[in-house]
Amino acid sequence: MKSLKPLLLPFAIAAALTACQTHDQSAASANTATSQPATPALPPLATFNVSDLDTTKNACADFAGYVNGKWLAANPVPADRTTWGSFEMLDERSQAASRSIAEAAAANANAQGVEKLVGDFFASGMDTARINAAGLAPIQPMLDRIAALKTPADIAQYLRDEFAAGRGEVFSFGAESDFKDATRKIGFAFQGGLSLPEKAYYLEDGPDGKYKAIREAFVKHVSRQLQNAGVAAADADKQAADVLAFETRLAKASLSPVELRDPNNQYHYVSLAEADKLTPHFSWTEFFKANGVQADGFSLSQPRFFAEFDRMLADVPASQWQAYLRLQLIDGMAPYLADRFNDERFDFYARTLRGQKEQKPRWKRVLDTTEGSVGEALGQLYVKQYFPPESKAEMAKLVDNLRLALKARLENLDWMSPDTKAKAMEKWASFTPKIGYPDKWRSWDGLNTRRDDYAGNVLAAARFNHAWEMSKIGKPVDRSEWGMTPQTVNAYYNPLMNEIVFPAAILQPPFFDPKADPALNYGGIGAVIGHEMMHGYDDQGSQFDAKGNFNNWWTKADRDGFNTRTAKLVKQFDDYVAIDGLHVKGALTLGENIADLGGLNVAWDAYQNALKAAGKRGDEKIDGYPSDQRFFFNWATVWRRNFTPDELKVRLNTDPHAPANFRAIGAPSNMPAFAHAFGCKAGDPMVRADDQRVVIW
């Protein structure tokens, strides 16, 4: 349902889609699967192919079009998606594989352990007749309680109980490493509560009145959803207006996505007594008790937001709180309720807001629920069938090669003082890579699910997962935990653990192929490895030291020099026009752009080292093209992606990743190696002038 990961964590390679050692059989014995499905035929891989190149274009002028133009024109966004490209093609494969696992688990009446969990979720989710017959019944007790709220004390107690059930509203609360002592977990309270993508959608009219139109559509959606729940039309209209007013007030007290990128705006440690003084109508002492947590303090990460939240407890009428909480409950549970609730939710959030024409097939939606509720249980079954051991071995070699290339770049920096460089090298030495899947699987003991109660399973998992999250607070960090499941097509860097993580599902073409030539692998997964490593040195990650603590390890002169260099990268991406005159936000996407630039340079260095070790120069041709060019071809192939116009506009406001076509060209345009590989000349669009070229790491 709702959980917290401070926006700093993790830094990922992809734009929000979603250790292959022998795992501990003794630890996982209670969750051993008893059946294994036959391997199905999977959708095609997104492999680079020279036939995709559009040789009518000039690589030095339009590199993204040269590599991806033909493919993008021939592969529009499917009706049940809002984006389509390399990541999505791999996601289709991961989902097809997961579907075969889930169907086999659902068909096994004697399933035990993780297989039973997966089977129960999938079987109950696919039982649409039972779900539609249940109507609103699964959440009626919660609706009845909302209807009985009368005082601020009632509302505060309801919120405490909702969080204990894993269904928190208004804000987020979860466990994460203490920014000042990364060896221990503390609680983090984080702003939230908005239904629209970010605060600007409430406070501005937007380009061509787009945000105003979305607000109007949102109010209509709220009214229709409340009417689905039996509220009379006139009352539903009034409550919908109340919901918008309520959320607008939250939005005014919220920080923007750019402001939230500053770690100082993500961490504000207070004692429980101090927190209780800041929010006199909402006792954090009682909140911690309700959630089974014993702690002296926590991060009240955005104090201004929580001060406003407390004022709203005191001065917003109970009827307006009821309207807001009612909508949050119904919309939050809509995917697990009767079709009329789910369809209405889809119509606004997907069709109106993001331009998605059709819903995903039912089985995909149920898999998404399974992933969100018991994802690691599904992952335990996934890796047994779909992650070959040779992928682990080859990835380990690539990681080692990238680490050495990064070390050399750090040692040879000409703009950093010896003192700061020593700290950078200390951080390099403490990087921890994780590949494939966890060495130790999570226990699911105590989570009880059924084959005939989809919403009940979701609610049970929400409570179970929240309790598991709360159990971490006040304890040492478990460094064996993963923040993504093995079947997730993504990768991430966690600055609080100084680790880079590569789930099994991303270790396929175009990213990684054990049989491919080195140029493709270094331009694909090599650049991803470099990207994640470089997050440790981007504008956010560089504020955390080798131990994962939020700690300034820079001299002032070096930090000023770093900021001067990164400002040029902000300007570069600010200048890119994405759609309808709307520009990329260089400040919002800075961290990912630093990681792309540094990661691709590190991957290039590692690739050159591999060529030298093999006695090659990079001009050897494969399929008619020099291997040096193939390195950059695969980098661009990774970033082939179509968007619906509405999806792209939302992402420009909320996504810390720049649109894919600009990622394909942004980093290479700053690299003399690219110009040399393609024979580009000064003045070509893919060759940035010396005073504009960005060199950081």
Side-chain angles (χ1 to χ4, degrees):
M1 300 276 284
K2 292 190 177 73
S3 63
L4 168 84
K5 284 292 178 186
L7 294 187
L8 183 64
L9 310 172
F11 299 127
I13 183 68
L17 283 176
T18 69
C20 192
Q21 298 172 0
T22 302
H23 57 275
D24 187 347
Q25 293 289 352
S26 59
S29 59
N31 288 333
T32 301
T34 58
S35 67
Q36 183 166 302
T39 302
L42 299 181
L45 288 163
T47 308
F48 165 72
N49 193 308
V50 294
S51 65
D52 289 332
L53 298 176
D54 185 353
T55 56
T56 67
K57 290 185 169 63
N58 183 347
C60 298
D62 180 10
F63 186 61
Y66 181 82
V67 179
N68 294 329
K70 283 172 60 177
W71 189 93
L72 293 173
N75 291 272
V77 178
D80 66 345
R81 285 186 177 269
T82 58
T83 63
W84 185 249
S86 297
F87 280 90
E88 290 80 3
M89 290 182 73
L90 278 188
D91 185 53
E92 288 289 321
R93 287 177 65 86
S94 181
Q95 286 193 322
S98 296
R99 179 186 187 180
S100 71
I101 293 168
E103 287 178 339
N108 183 5
N110 298 314
Q112 300 293 320
V114 292
E115 188 182 23
K116 180 180 185 299
L117 291 179
V118 172
D120 284 353
F121 265 91
F122 197 76
S124 63
M126 295 301 292
D127 190 352
T128 55
R130 187 185 298 272
I131 293 168
N132 283 323
L136 205 58
I139 62 170
Q140 191 61 56
M142 291 89 89
L143 289 171
D144 291 343
R145 185 174 179 192
I146 291 171
L149 299 176
K150 293 182 174 61
T151 67
D154 292 341
I155 296 167
Q157 186 59 50
Y158 172 84
L159 292 174
R160 286 191 286 268
D161 292 344
E162 280 291 285
F163 271 96
R167 301 188 304 268
E169 288 91 11
V170 187
F171 59 90
S172 297
F173 188 83
E176 191 49 90
S177 301
D178 187 340
F179 278 22
K180 294 297 184 180
D181 179 7
T183 64
R184 68 165 186 155
K185 289 277 190 177
I186 64 170
F188 276 73
F190 221 72
Q191 71 177 47
L194 303 183
S195 300
L196 302 182
E198 58 113 344
K199 64 182 296 181
Y201 285 78
Y202 295 88
L203 308 178
E204 302 172 13
D205 285 347
D208 299 325
K210 180 69 172 179
Y211 301 166
K212 181 180 179 182
I214 288 174
R215 287 196 296 273
E216 293 170 351
F218 173 64
V219 170
K220 293 177 181 178
H221 156 70
V222 175
S223 178
R224 289 192 298 266
Q225 196 69 292
L226 293 175
Q227 291 179 59
N228 283 337
V231 178
D235 191 15
D237 288 343
K238 179 183 181 304
Q239 290 189 46
D242 283 347
V243 169
L244 179 62
F246 186 98
E247 294 194 13
T248 299
R249 188 164 168 183
L250 287 180
K252 289 178 179 178
S254 299
L255 297 179
S256 71
V258 172
E259 292 171 320
L260 286 172
R261 294 196 72 256
D262 183 350
N264 289 290
N265 288 332
Q266 300 188 20
Y267 179 82
H268 180 74
Y269 191 86
V270 294
S271 68
L272 287 180
E274 290 170 333
D276 286 346
K277 288 181 180 178
L278 182 65
T279 59
H281 301 94
F282 188 81
S283 169
W284 291 97
T285 301
E286 292 302 317
F287 178 86
F288 272 55
K289 288 180 182 177
N291 285 273
V293 176
Q294 292 185 341
D296 296 326
F298 66 107
S299 175
L300 193 67
S301 298
Q302 295 83 30
R304 186 169 71 93
F305 174 87
F306 286 99
E308 180 66 3
F309 155 65
D310 186 75
R311 286 189 287 269
M312 291 174 70
L313 277 173
D315 63 30
V316 170
S319 61
Q320 191 172 356
W321 270 97
Q322 288 171 324
Y324 171 77
L325 295 173
R326 190 174 290 123
L327 184 277
Q328 290 291 310
L329 174 62
I330 297 171
D331 256 0
M333 286 296 294
Y336 327 115
L337 299 176
D339 286 343
R340 67 181 185 272
F341 299 104
N342 179 66
D343 292 348
E344 174 56 42
R345 188 180 191 278
F346 167 82
D347 190 66
F348 174 71
Y349 288 104
R351 192 193 313 275
T352 299
L353 190 57
R354 297 180 178 271
Q356 184 174 333
K357 298 176 182 177
E358 298 176 1
Q359 292 202 57
K360 293 180 180 179
R362 178 88 192 173
W363 67 267
K364 286 186 178 181
R365 287 180 272 147
V366 176
L367 271 182
D368 287 345
T369 302
T370 307
E371 173 76 17
S373 298
V374 291
E376 194 170 299
L378 177 59
Q380 189 170 339
L381 302 176
Y382 175 90
V383 297
K384 286 185 176 181
Q385 191 169 356
Y386 292 103
F387 189 61
E390 58 266 26
S391 292
K392 161 72 174 182
E394 291 296 322
M395 271 293 293
K397 292 179 184 177
L398 283 168
V399 170
D400 287 343
N401 292 344
L402 269 292
R403 279 174 52 84
L404 291 174
L406 173 57
K407 181 174 185 285
R409 292 192 76 85
L410 293 174
E411 290 174 335
N412 293 321
L413 284 177
D414 60 3
W415 58 269
M416 182 178 280
S417 69
D419 288 345
T420 305
K421 188 179 293 186
K423 296 294 185 181
M425 294 303 300
E426 182 182 346
K427 187 165 188 175
W428 169 86
S430 65
F431 269 129
T432 300
K434 294 179 178 178
I435 301 170
Y437 62 88
D439 292 329
K440 180 179 71 175
W441 293 108
R442 174 187 170 185
S443 171
W444 296 93
D445 292 345
L447 175 56
N448 297 312
T449 55
R450 297 166 44 175
R451 294 278 163 121
D452 60 356
D453 189 359
Y454 190 39
N457 290 339
V458 171
L459 293 171
R463 182 179 289 276
F464 180 86
N465 288 328
H466 179 74
W468 178 68
E469 183 88 354
M470 295 300 96
S471 71
K472 303 175 189 178
I473 294 176
K475 296 179 181 177
V477 170
D478 182 354
R479 296 187 64 87
S480 70
E481 283 186 10
W482 280 48
M484 286 179 182
T485 63
Q487 63 274 24
T488 301
V489 182
N490 213 326
Y492 70 90
Y493 169 76
N494 183 338
L496 295 169
M497 296 176 70
N498 201 24
E499 65 179 11
I500 51 176
V501 184
F502 306 96
I506 200 174
L507 303 180
Q508 302 178 70
F511 299 96
F512 176 65
D513 183 353
K515 300 177 183 178
D517 56 284
L520 294 187
N521 277 334
Y522 278 100
I525 198 65
V528 173
I529 296 168
H531 172 104
E532 299 306 342
M533 288 180 175
M534 295 314 304
H535 270 311
Y537 303 96
D538 72 11
D539 62 314
Q540 293 177 311
S542 63
Q543 299 184 62
F544 292 78
D545 64 21
K547 295 181 180 179
N549 295 322
F550 183 41
N551 176 41
N552 180 27
W553 46 272
W554 296 68
T555 66
K556 183 180 185 304
D558 287 336
R559 175 55 75 172
D560 289 345
F562 175 80
N563 290 340
T564 297
R565 291 167 183 268
T566 59
K568 292 173 68 175
L569 197 58
V570 171
K571 173 66 165 57
Q572 176 182 336
F573 278 81
D574 277 344
D575 288 344
Y576 290 139
V577 179
I579 184 174
D580 293 346
L582 300 176
H583 288 245
V584 178
K585 294 183 177 180
L588 177 61
T589 60
L590 178 59
E592 298 300 327
N593 298 333
I594 293 172
D596 278 354
L597 177 59
L600 192 60
N601 272 287
V602 168
W604 175 262
D605 290 352
Y607 161 63
Q608 294 301 311
N609 292 339
L611 286 178
K612 290 177 183 177
K616 298 181 179 180
R617 299 181 304 179
D619 57 359
E620 299 84 1
K621 290 188 176 181
I622 301 174
D623 291 337
Y625 292 89
S627 60
D628 282 0
Q629 292 188 1
R630 289 170 65 83
F631 172 92
F632 290 106
F633 287 160
N634 209 34
W635 167 256
T637 300
V638 165
W639 300 117
R640 60 171 49 154
R641 185 180 238 174
N642 275 315
F643 296 85
T644 64
D646 288 331
E647 174 70 22
L648 181 54
K649 290 174 183 178
V650 170
R651 290 193 181 222
L652 288 173
N653 290 321
T654 61
D655 194 345
H657 307 79
N661 59 312
F662 300 120
R663 298 184 74 175
I665 64 173
S669 71
N670 287 294
M671 295 174 62
F674 175 88
H676 182 266
F678 290 90
C680 304
K681 302 294 189 294
D684 287 338
M686 283 298 295
V687 180
R688 302 185 68 78
D690 289 344
D691 63 339
Q692 295 179 344
R693 189 163 69 88
V694 184
V695 180
I696 304 173
W697 297 105

